[in-house]
Amino acid sequence: MESQSVEYKQNWHDDYLKVVVAFANTSGGTLFIGIDDDGLVCGVENVDKLLEILPNKILNLLDIHIGIYIREQDNLQFIEIRVEKSPFPVSYHGRFYIRNGSTVQELKGNALQQFLLSAQNTTWDEMICPEMTWEDIDRNSVNIFVRRAIMTNRLPANIDQNNIRELFEKLELSRKEQLTRAATLLFSLKPTHYVFMAVCKIGRFRGTSSVDLITDDVIECPLFLMPDKIMELLRAKYLQKNFTYRGLQRIETLEYPELALREAVLNAVVHRNYNGNSFFTVKVFDNALEIWNEGELMSPLTVESLKTNHLSRLRNRKIADIFYRSGAIENWGRGTLNMLDIAKEGGYPLPVFAEFMGGLAVRFQRMIFKDMPNDLTDDINNVTDDTNDTNNQNNVTNNDTNDTNNQNNDTNNVIDDINDVTDDTNNQNNVTNNVIDNINNVSNNVTDDANNQNNDTNNVIDNINNDTNNVTGKRISLIIDILQSDKKISTAEIAKKLNVSKRTILRDIEKMKGVGLVERIGTTKGGYWKIII
C-alpha cells in the first residue's frame, strides 16, 4: 500500500518528478513504476530506455542523484526509484513539494518560508528586520528582562544593561548592528509597525459561542511584557473570583486555574507563527475560556503527544531563549504537562488541546462555585464573622503586647466602619468595601504572626534545601504575577499560593528588591507592593 515513503505508478510521466521532489524534501522514499494503486505488478514497457533517461533527467532538472533498479515479478518488469532525503531544498520548475502521508503537497506562503528557513537551520525570528532602528527599542522592557534574567542566573550579574547594542549582540538579537525580528517583537515600542499581527485580542462573549460579543480589548506592547499584560487584564476585567473564609483568612479562588492559564498564554506567545494572517486571541464564554494562536504543531508533535513527555520544538528560537532566560519558561517541553498538572491539583477540569484553522487552541472549562456571595448582606455578615474571629485571635495572641494593641486598634476601626455602614445607607457599598479591606489587613497580619511563631521547623528545612536556580526563577516570575493582581497581599498568602514556606518567599522578595524588581510602599500593615515595570 502507498504510504509516506512509498508511491505506485503504472507508467512514467514527467509530472511524477513532483513525487521525487516530495520524497527528497521530506524523509526520502521509493517510487515504483509498473505497479497499480492496489500494489499489483502490471509491468512497464521500455524498461531499458527509462533506465537510461531517468537518472540524467532527474539530475539535470532536480540536481539530485537517485538509485534506479529493474525488478521482476511473475515475468513482469517494473522500475524501483529510491530517493534519499536531500540536505538542501529541491524544486521542480521553481515549485517546492513535500510528502504529507501518501499525497504530494505543494508548499506556498508561510509554509514555504518556514521550510526554506528550516533547511538553512534558521528560524523566522532570527532573520534581520531592516526597517527596525535602535531608537525604537523600549529600554524599560529591556531593563525588566535584564533584572529577571540576573535573578535566575541566566545573565551575569555584572552585565551592562545600559549598553544595549553590546547586550543584543551577545544575546544574538542583532547582527552587524542590524536588529532581528525577535528583537523587534520583544522590545520594540510599537511592534505592530513591523509585524502587524503582533497583538492579542481578548473578548467576552454571551453564551457559549463567539456570536454575541459583549466587550473586548486589544493588547499591543513589547512582546516580552505581553504575558503579564494579558494576565493582569484577565484578572481585572474578565474573570470572576470566589471568596471564602478560613477563620480570619480570606481565600480567593479564580474560576479558572490561574497558573495553568499563564502557562497557556506563555506557550501561545512563544510558539506563535508571527508571519501569519491572524491575531492571537483569548475568548471568554459563559462556560469556558479559549486561547488560540496561529501556527500548527511542529512535526513530529501531535495533540496527543502534548499530554505525555515530549521534546520542545521551537518555531521562534530567539523569542523562546529570551523568555527562558527571564525564568518565565523552561526548555524541556513541559508547558502543556504543567497545565494539566496544575488543573488536576486544583480540582479544575483538565484543559483540552485541539488543532484547527491552522493553529493550536487550549480550552479551559469554567469552574462553577456553588457558594458565591450574591448580595451586600452576605458581605456584611462575612465582615461581622471576621470581626468576631479577630477578637478571638487577639485574646490568643496577647503574649506580644505591641502587636496585640495594633490588632485591637484595627479591630475597633473595623467596628466603627460597620457602624458607618448602618448610619449611612447611601454610602453602604463604599464603606463595606473599606471594612472588608481593613479586615483583610488584620487577617493578613494575624496570619503572618501565626506563621512566624509556628513554622520554625519549615524555616530550617528551607535553609538546608535551597531551591535550584531554575525553580527560583520560575517562582519569582509567579510572585510578580501574584503581586500585580493583589498589591496588598501578605507574604504568608503568597507562600500558600505557591506551596512554599514564608521564609522562602521573604528570601525571594529580598532578591527582587536587590535588583529593583519590587518595592514595598508604606508600613508592613498598611502598605502595598509596587512592581517596577
Side-chain angles (χ1 to χ4, degrees), residues 339-444:
M339 296 179 216
L340 295 169
D341 290 344
I342 292 167
K344 184 177 181 180
E345 290 172 6
Y348 292 89
L350 297 182
V352 177
F353 309 103
E355 278 190 297
F356 72 96
M357 299 296 290
L360 181 69
V362 185
R363 187 176 179 89
F364 294 87
Q365 204 68 22
R366 182 188 177 203
M367 172 80 83
I368 304 299
F369 300 112
K370 296 180 180 179
D371 300 322
M372 185 175 291
N374 292 319
D375 54 35
L376 184 61
T377 303
D378 291 335
D379 290 337
I380 294 176
N381 289 336
N382 285 334
V383 170
T384 304
D385 292 340
D386 286 345
T387 303
N388 293 332
D389 290 336
T390 302
N391 289 329
N392 292 334
Q393 183 68 29
N394 287 336
N395 291 332
V396 174
T397 59
N398 53 26
N399 290 332
D400 189 335
T401 303
N402 291 330
D403 286 342
T404 301
N405 289 336
N406 289 333
Q407 291 165 3
N408 287 336
N409 290 335
D410 286 334
T411 304
N412 290 334
N413 291 334
V414 170
I415 296 171
D416 290 340
D417 285 338
I418 294 176
N419 291 333
D420 289 339
V421 173
T422 305
D423 294 336
D424 189 354
T425 302
N426 292 331
N427 293 324
Q428 193 173 41
N429 289 336
N430 293 332
V431 173
T432 302
N433 290 332
N434 291 334
V435 173
I436 293 171
D437 288 339
N438 287 332
I439 286 293
N440 290 335
N441 289 334
V442 174
S443 301
N444 293 338

Side-chain angles (χ1 to χ4, degrees), residues 114-115 117-118 122-124 270-273 295-303 305-306 310-317 355 360:
Q114 289 293 333
F115 170 74
L117 288 172
S118 177
T122 302
T123 57
W124 178 87
V270 170
H271 297 297
R272 183 184 169 198
N273 175 18
E296 295 177 339
L297 291 171
M298 298 181 67
S299 179
L301 292 179
T302 65
V303 168
S305 70
L306 298 180
H310 59 274
L311 294 176
S312 179
R313 301 284 292 178
L314 300 177
R315 176 176 280 109
N316 305 302
R317 220 158 25 204
E355 278 190 297
L360 181 69

